[in-house]
Amino acid sequence: MANIRDVANHAGVSVSSVSNVLNGRTNQMRPETLARIRQSMRDLNYLPNRVAQQLKTGQARMIGLLVPSIVNPSFAMLTREVDRVAKANQYRVLLGNTYRQEDEEKAFLEDMFAHGVKGVIVVATAMDRPHFANAARHGMVMVNYDSLMSVHAPDGNPPFDSVSMDNVEAGRLAAEHLIERGCRQLVFVTEATQLPSRLHKIEGFYSAVNRHGLQESAQVIEGKAGEAYGDAEMTELGRSLAAKVLEQSPRPDGIVAINDAMGIGLMAGLRSAGIRIPQDMSVIGIDNIPLADLVQPPMSSVMPPLADMVTMMVDRLLTRIENPDLTPEEFLFVPKLISRQSVIEKGEP
Amino acid sequence: MANIRDVANHAGVSVSSVSNVLNGRTNQMRPETLARIRQSMRDLNYLPNRVAQQLKTGQARMIGLLVPSIVNPSFAMLTREVDRVAKANQYRVLLGNTYRQEDEEKAFLEDMFAHGVKGVIVVATAMDRPHFANAARHGMVMVNYDSLMSVHAPDGNPPFDSVSMDNVEAGRLAAEHLIERGCRQLVFVTEATQLPSRLHKIEGFYSAVNRHGLQESAQVIEGKAGEAYGDAEMTELGRSLAAKVLEQSPRPDGIVAINDAMGIGLMAGLRSAGIRIPQDMSVIGIDNIPLADLVQPPMSSVMPPLADMVTMMVDRLLTRIENPDLTPEEFLFVPKLISRQSVIEKGEP
DNA sequence: TTGAAAGCGTTACCAC
DNA sequence: GTGGTAACGCTTTCAA
C-alpha cells in the first residue's frame, strides 16, 4: 500500500502538500501542483490510512451501534438505516449486541474508547445504568434511541440526547383507529416490564379511550416475557395472552398490541381459538416491522418515521462530537398509521 | 485518558516495561515490578489505545462483515453469531450492507483497507467479481459464506476460503423427508437467479427424487424476484408462485422451498387459495429462520449448523491473517432436518 | 505557495 | 530485567 510519502515523492512535492489536498486545503494551491498530486494518488492507488489519521486527529470515522439483539427485526431495520446514513457521512458502523446485559454494554463502550470511536447510538436500553454516565463523563457522545428518560438532571436538562417516536401519539393513533372503525371494547396488550416507551403508549391509548367516553370498557392486559430477547419471546407471549383476552366479558372487539411481534403472536393465538380477524376482533400493532405485512391477515400497525429518526441521530452524534458542550435534547417523531387487514372495515358487521 | 507514558511514570518504570506487560512478555520480569505496573494501570483506569497499537502492528482487532442486507433474518442470525465469536477472540465487527451492489462492495473493501482491517467475511455474493480478487492480491483475507465457487484456479485450489452448508445435502434432506412422509408429486420452488447454492439444492432435490423413481412427477418452478433484497421480496415471490404451483396437474402434494422466506410466502399464497397445509399440501423450507416457528402452521425446515460454521469462518480468518500463505480451502457443513407441522404426518390422509 | 519537523500512543529492537 | 528510541502514516504549525 502506497503511503503519503510515496505520493509526495511521485509527485515531486512535500508530504504537507499531499496532506493539504487530502484535507481540502487546495484554495491556495497552484492548480498544476494539485493536478500532479491527484494524478500521483491515482497512479499509486493511494488510500489514506485512516488509522494514522485517527491517531493524529482523534477522529475515528466510525460510530458504534449498540442494540439488544440484531436478530430482532426492528433493530435490524434500524441498523440498516444507521449504516445508510453513516455511509452518507463517510462513517462506518461498529455493531454490538448486548442482550440487555450490563457487562456487554460496558465492554462495548470500553472497546469504543480503545478504538477511538467517539459516538455511539444506544438502542432501547436502561440509560440510567452508571456506565453510560461514566462514559459520557469521559467524552463519549451518545444518542439514545427509543427510551426517553423520565428523570432529568436538576438543571432540567435530560442527561443524554434522545430520539424517539412519540409513543403517546402512537398509542393514541392505534386506539383512535380502532374506535373510528367501530370497536368499543378496547384492550391494550403489553409486556409487564415498565419501560418509559411502554408507559407512554398506554397513556396515549387511554387518552383516546377517554375522549370517546369508553374508559369503563377499556383495559390493559399484561404478561411477563422470559429472559431472552429476540422477538420469539415477545411473539410467544402474545400467543399466550390470547387466552387472557378471551376470558374478558364482554368480549373485547379491538386490541392494541404494544408492538408488532406481540400482535402477531396474539393473532396466532386468537385464530387457534377460533376467532376470526378482523370480523370477530380487530388487532393493531405498533412498530411496523416487515413481518406485519406477511402474516395472515396482514396486520395494521403504527409506523415510526425511521429514516428521519436515524438521520437525526447520526446528525446529532456528529454535531456533538464536534461540539460536546451542546446541551442534550430530546427529539420526538410523529408516527403514522399503516392500515392493513387486521382491523375491521367500517360498517362491516 | 491515560496513556502508556502516564502508566510508566506512575509506576516509576519505562514505557517499554509497560508495553511488555501489555503484550504478555512478563516471564523475565520481577514480580514486584509487574505488580506495580498492573496496579498503576488500574489506578489510572488505563485502556491501551488500539488505534496506536494498530498503526504500529498493522493489526486491527476488527473484522469486516459484508452482507447483502442485515434485514434478512438469515443474515441477522449470522451477524449475531459472528459478533459472538469475534468478541470471544477480542475482535469487533464492522458491518456493511451491499444490497448485492458491486459499488457498495468495492467501497466497503476500500474502507476496510483504510481502517487497517485485514479480514472480511463475505456473505453469499458473487465472489468472482474482480474487486474481490483484487483485494485479495493486496493482502485482504476473505472467507466466503455460502457461495461455493464452481471455478477453481488452474492449480485446482479454490480462490478463496469458503464455508457453506452442504446445499446438495440440504436439498436432498428436504425432498427425502417429504417422500418419506408419503408425498409423491414433488415441486422445488426457487428464485430464478442461478447462484451456486441454489443449483446445489436443486441437485440434492433431484438426487432424492431419482432415488425413489419419482423423476417423472417432480419439477422445479421458478420466478424472478425484484431488484431489492430483504426477505419481503422473497416472501412476495413465494406468495405469487403459489398460483403457478396450483396450475400443475396432477396437483403437487409436497413442496421444497429454496429458503424459508419463500416457503412462508408460498404457504400464505396457498392458504389464500383454500389449500390446507399440511393436509392438502406439505411445505418445507431451507435455512430455519426464527420466523419459521412463528407462522401457522410452524414450517419444517433444514437447518445449517450456524454456530459451528461461524466459528470456522472466524478461526480461518484469524489464522490466515497470521499466515496468509495457507492455501484456501472449502468447508462443508452438514445440515439437519427440523420437523414442524407444515409436512403431513405419515399415514395422515 | 510549499516544505520541515514535531508529535499522536504504541511496539520492538538493542543497549545496558 | 529494564530503559532509550526509532518508527508506524498522518496532520498541523511555523518558517521560508
Side-chain angles (χ1 to χ4, degrees):
Chain A
M1 293 265 89
N3 65 27
I4 199 172
R5 211 150 25 230
D6 300 331
V7 176
N9 289 339
H10 187 277
V13 297
S14 78
V15 188
S16 332
S17 296
V18 180
S19 174
N20 283 334
V21 0
L22 282 184
N23 294 280
R25 286 184 290 270
T26 61
N27 8 344
Q28 318 260 54
M29 192 174 273
R30 200 178 299 149
E32 60 211 62
T33 313
L34 176 57
R36 206 141 32 86
I37 294 175
R38 288 245 163 86
Q39 188 54 48
S40 298
M41 288 179 170
R42 253 172 274 124
D43 289 353
L44 300 178
N45 232 302
Y46 173 66
L47 277 181
N49 181 326
R50 297 242 178 247
V51 177
Q53 292 182 323
Q54 192 179 331
L55 180 59
K56 190 65 199 170
T57 62
Q59 265 295 345
R61 295 228 151 249
M62 293 190 286
I63 59 178
L65 174 61
L66 197 54
V67 297
S69 166
I70 187 66
V71 173
N72 181 319
S74 308
F75 301 148
M77 285 197 296
L78 179 76
T79 301
R80 182 186 47 187
E81 288 303 310
V82 171
D83 185 41
R84 191 181 56 74
V85 178
K87 214 160 4 187
N89 288 278
Q90 318 254 57
Y91 272 68
R92 285 286 173 190
V93 176
L94 267 164
L95 182 71
N97 292 277
T98 67
Y99 316 106
R100 305 203 194 253
Q101 307 270 303
E102 199 158 342
D103 49 341
E104 295 280 0
E105 293 173 359
K106 257 175 86 168
F108 187 78
L109 289 175
E110 283 182 2
D111 278 12
M112 294 306 101
F113 276 113
H115 281 295
V117 173
K118 288 281 192 299
V120 176
I121 293 177
V122 179
V123 176
T125 207
M127 288 299 285
D128 49 357
R129 289 180 174 170
H131 51 274
F132 289 116
N134 203 46
R137 211 171 319 113
H138 287 76
M140 185 64 73
V141 356
M142 286 169 284
V143 177
N144 175 265
Y145 175 80
D146 199 36
S147 34
L148 212 52
M149 292 192 51
S150 28
V151 267
H152 285 190
D155 58 8
N157 290 323
F160 297 103
D161 272 313
S162 168
V163 168
S164 306
M165 160 162 76
D166 182 337
N167 282 296
V168 177
E169 176 63 9
R172 203 194 57 76
L173 257 183
E176 281 286 357
H177 180 60
L178 293 177
I179 296 169
E180 199 245 331
R181 289 290 182 88
C183 301
R184 287 298 171 267
Q185 301 289 331
L186 263 48
V187 168
F188 189 98
V189 174
T190 182
E191 205 275 339
T193 313
Q194 297 204 345
L195 303 179
S197 59
R198 293 191 180 146
L199 296 175
H200 287 145
K201 284 169 185 159
I202 296 176
E203 179 186 335
F205 171 79
Y206 274 119
S207 89
V209 157
N210 291 340
R211 193 169 90 78
H212 292 272
L214 298 171
Q215 53 275 39
E216 293 302 308
S217 55
Q219 61 190 301
V220 172
I221 292 182
E222 59 182 35
K224 189 93 192 87
E227 271 292 303
Y229 280 85
D231 57 334
E233 291 73 24
M234 205 43 99
T235 310
E236 266 326 303
L237 178 60
R239 198 194 298 264
S240 71
L241 285 177
K244 266 205 193 174
V245 168
L246 293 171
E247 278 170 12
Q248 308 303 316
S249 150
R251 177 181 277 185
D253 58 2
I255 305 176
V256 181
I258 186 89
N259 57 45
D260 282 5
M262 163 103 42
I264 287 164
L266 187 72
M267 293 207 312
L270 292 172
R271 220 176 18 229
S272 323
I275 303 290
R276 294 170 306 159
I277 296 168
Q279 297 87 337
D280 302 331
M281 227 177 256
S282 296
V283 175
I284 182 169
I286 297 180
D287 262 6
N288 195 43
I289 62 178
L291 182 51
D293 199 27
L294 300 179
V295 291
Q296 286 302 320
M299 186 176 67
S300 298
S301 190
V302 174
M303 176 181 75
L306 194 56
D308 295 347
M309 294 171 77
V310 169
T311 302
M312 171 62 91
M313 287 197 289
V314 175
D315 283 357
R316 258 324 256 190
L317 221 48
L318 302 190
T319 310
R320 299 201 62 193
I321 289 175
E322 294 304 308
N323 185 351
D325 294 329
L326 283 182
T327 57
E329 286 183 54
E330 293 175 335
F331 301 91
L332 239 43
F333 284 77
V334 178
K336 227 175 94 183
L337 182 78
I338 303 294
S339 178
R340 299 198 180 89
Q341 282 92 64
S342 65
V343 174
I344 198 162
E345 294 289 330
K346 223 170 184 163
E348 228 177 312
Chain B
M1 295 264 87
N3 65 24
I4 198 172
R5 212 146 25 226
D6 300 330
V7 175
N9 290 338
H10 186 276
V13 298
S14 77
V15 214
S16 326
S17 295
V18 181
S19 175
N20 281 336
V21 0
L22 282 182
N23 294 280
R25 287 184 289 270
T26 61
N27 8 344
Q28 317 259 55
M29 192 174 273
R30 199 179 299 149
E32 61 213 61
T33 314
L34 175 58
R36 208 144 28 87
I37 294 176
R38 288 244 164 86
Q39 189 55 48
S40 298
M41 288 180 170
R42 255 173 271 125
D43 290 352
L44 300 178
N45 232 301
Y46 172 68
L47 277 180
N49 182 325
R50 298 246 179 242
V51 177
Q53 292 183 321
Q54 192 180 333
L55 179 59
K56 191 63 197 170
T57 63
Q59 264 297 344
R61 295 228 151 247
M62 292 190 287
I63 59 178
L65 174 60
L66 197 54
V67 297
S69 165
I70 186 65
V71 173
N72 182 320
S74 308
F75 301 148
M77 286 197 297
L78 178 76
T79 302
R80 182 185 50 187
E81 288 304 309
V82 171
D83 184 42
R84 190 181 57 72
V85 179
K87 212 158 10 188
N89 288 279
Q90 317 254 56
Y91 271 68
R92 286 286 173 190
V93 176
L94 267 163
L95 181 71
N97 292 277
T98 66
Y99 316 106
R100 305 200 195 253
Q101 307 270 302
E102 199 158 344
D103 49 342
E104 295 280 359
E105 292 173 0
K106 258 177 85 170
F108 187 78
L109 289 175
E110 283 182 2
D111 278 13
M112 294 306 100
F113 276 113
H115 282 296
V117 173
K118 289 281 192 297
V120 176
I121 294 177
V122 179
V123 176
T125 206
M127 287 301 284
D128 49 357
R129 290 181 173 169
H131 50 273
F132 289 116
N134 204 45
R137 212 169 320 114
H138 287 77
M140 184 64 72
V141 355
M142 286 169 284
V143 177
N144 176 266
Y145 175 78
D146 199 36
S147 34
L148 212 54
M149 291 193 50
S150 28
V151 265
H152 286 190
D155 57 8
N157 291 324
F160 298 102
D161 271 314
S162 168
V163 168
S164 307
M165 157 162 79
D166 183 337
N167 282 296
V168 177
E169 176 64 8
R172 201 194 57 76
L173 257 183
E176 281 286 356
H177 180 59
L178 293 176
I179 296 169
E180 198 244 332
R181 290 289 181 88
C183 302
R184 287 298 171 266
Q185 300 290 331
L186 264 47
V187 168
F188 189 98
V189 175
T190 182
E191 206 275 340
T193 313
Q194 297 205 346
L195 303 179
S197 59
R198 294 191 180 144
L199 296 175
H200 287 144
K201 286 169 185 159
I202 295 175
E203 178 185 336
F205 170 79
Y206 273 120
S207 90
V209 157
N210 291 341
R211 194 169 88 77
H212 291 272
L214 297 171
Q215 51 276 38
E216 293 302 306
S217 55
Q219 62 191 300
V220 172
I221 292 184
E222 60 182 33
K224 189 93 192 81
E227 272 291 304
Y229 280 84
D231 58 333
E233 292 72 24
M234 206 42 100
T235 310
E236 265 327 303
L237 178 60
R239 197 194 298 266
S240 70
L241 286 178
K244 265 205 194 174
V245 169
L246 293 171
E247 277 170 13
Q248 308 304 315
S249 150
R251 179 180 277 186
D253 58 3
I255 306 176
V256 180
I258 185 89
N259 57 44
D260 283 5
M262 163 103 41
I264 287 165
L266 186 72
M267 292 208 312
L270 291 173
R271 220 173 22 228
S272 325
I275 302 290
R276 294 169 308 160
I277 297 168
Q279 296 87 338
D280 302 332
M281 227 176 256
S282 295
V283 176
I284 183 169
I286 298 179
D287 261 6
N288 195 43
I289 63 179
L291 183 49
D293 200 27
L294 300 178
V295 291
Q296 287 300 326
M299 186 176 66
S300 298
S301 189
V302 175
M303 177 180 75
L306 194 56
D308 294 348
M309 293 171 77
V310 169
T311 301
M312 172 62 92
M313 287 197 289
V314 175
D315 282 357
R316 258 325 255 192
L317 220 48
L318 302 190
T319 311
R320 297 202 63 195
I321 289 175
E322 295 304 308
N323 186 351
D325 295 328
L326 283 182
T327 57
E329 286 183 53
E330 294 175 335
F331 302 90
L332 238 43
F333 285 76
V334 178
K336 228 175 93 183
L337 183 77
I338 304 293
S339 178
R340 300 200 180 88
Q341 283 92 63
S342 65
V343 174
I344 198 163
E345 293 290 329
K346 223 172 182 160
E348 229 177 312

